[in-house]
Amino acid sequence: MKTNLQNFSDRKKNKRKLASFDGCMIDLKDELPLMFKAFNEALEKYEVILNQTKPESRARGFEASLLNTEMIESIQKHFPEFWRFAKYKRFTLRVKGYVVLFKKLNNSDKPMNIKTKSVDAISEQLTLPLFENDSSLTEPILFFGYRKNKLGMIIDPKLVYIDENQVKWTINSDDVDNIGLTGFEELNPVSPDAPRPILREDIAKKVSNK
């Protein structure tokens, strides 16, 4: 029993900071609209190139690779000082105390990944280094992702926070459109130059309505 308690304690020590829906909406109130704008621009370019490429000429993984490339370029355009490639060529946006990864999502809003030690650590918000000489070990990890419907159309872009291998909350375009109308700023005043996220480590995490 002591061993189990010790393992639980060690696991808690190795966790990244907890991120909340409200805190993220406040901290990234300027960045969230840009993320969705970057996605929409990437999607437009993706669709143009896709329509110009015959189906019989598309290699395996062509569509996913194309959208990923367009998304990287668009994020680099809108966040020129904050993008970075992490280990294993994993593209990231690191801004205001958050690390954002970009992934296609399944129907449960979880990233479609091959199970590895690194992937498991990210899903558990553990402090496994993402970068060489990593100084972001405590920064919460978010996913910006999208889904494909049965017709193959790209839909439902959203920001997702996963911890304990469970989706805790999401932010979609409707949430972003309501920034400034929800009373977040009035209820939770914060300097626009604040470098760190508002993290609520002693309250239950909020699960958004899907």
Side-chain angles (χ1 to χ4, degrees), residues 43-162:
L43 184 57
E44 288 180 5
K45 292 182 179 180
Y46 160 85
E47 290 176 342
V48 169
I49 297 175
L50 190 65
N51 290 332
Q52 294 174 344
T53 307
K54 297 178 181 179
E56 62 267 28
S57 301
R58 301 173 190 173
R60 182 180 180 182
F62 169 75
E63 294 180 21
S65 178
L66 174 60
L67 183 55
N68 189 49
T69 298
E70 295 299 340
M71 190 63 186
I72 288 174
E73 184 177 44
S74 195
I75 289 293
Q76 290 172 332
K77 169 188 171 183
H78 289 286
F79 298 93
E81 299 179 3
F82 300 104
W83 67 270
R84 185 178 174 188
F85 282 104
K87 291 181 177 180
Y88 314 115
K89 202 64 175 180
R90 186 182 277 129
F91 183 74
T92 68
L93 175 65
R94 187 178 173 193
V95 59
K96 291 188 177 177
Y98 297 88
V99 178
V100 184
L101 306 180
F102 299 86
K103 276 289 183 180
K104 180 181 177 182
L105 306 174
N106 62 22
N107 290 332
S108 299
D109 289 336
K110 291 185 178 181
M112 299 180 70
N113 288 316
I114 298 173
K115 284 290 186 179
T116 65
K117 180 180 178 182
S118 177
V119 167
D120 288 342
I122 291 172
S123 296
E124 296 283 349
Q125 294 288 333
L126 300 180
T127 56
L128 191 71
L130 293 178
F131 307 94
E132 299 293 343
N133 303 317
D134 201 350
S135 60
S136 68
L137 289 177
T138 63
E139 296 174 355
I141 296 172
L142 310 174
F143 287 95
F144 190 100
Y146 64 92
R147 295 189 295 109
K148 266 191 174 184
N149 65 14
K150 293 181 180 180
L151 300 177
M153 298 176 64
I154 306 297
I155 62 169
D156 202 17
K158 62 181 63 175
L159 196 69
V160 181
Y161 177 67
I162 296 175

Side-chain angles (χ1 to χ4, degrees), residues 4-20:
N4 291 335
L5 290 174
Q6 183 62 49
N7 289 339
F8 178 78
S9 177
D10 290 342
R11 193 174 185 82
K12 293 288 287 184
K13 290 178 182 178
N14 293 329
K15 296 277 285 187
R16 293 172 181 269
K17 292 179 179 178
L18 178 65
S20 72

Side-chain angles (χ1 to χ4, degrees), residues 20-27 98 169 184 188 198 200 206:
S20 72
F21 174 90
D22 289 356
C24 188
M25 289 285 286
I26 296 168
D27 297 324
Y98 297 88
W169 48 261
F184 284 129
N188 301 281
I198 298 172
R200 305 183 179 194
K206 178 179 180 180

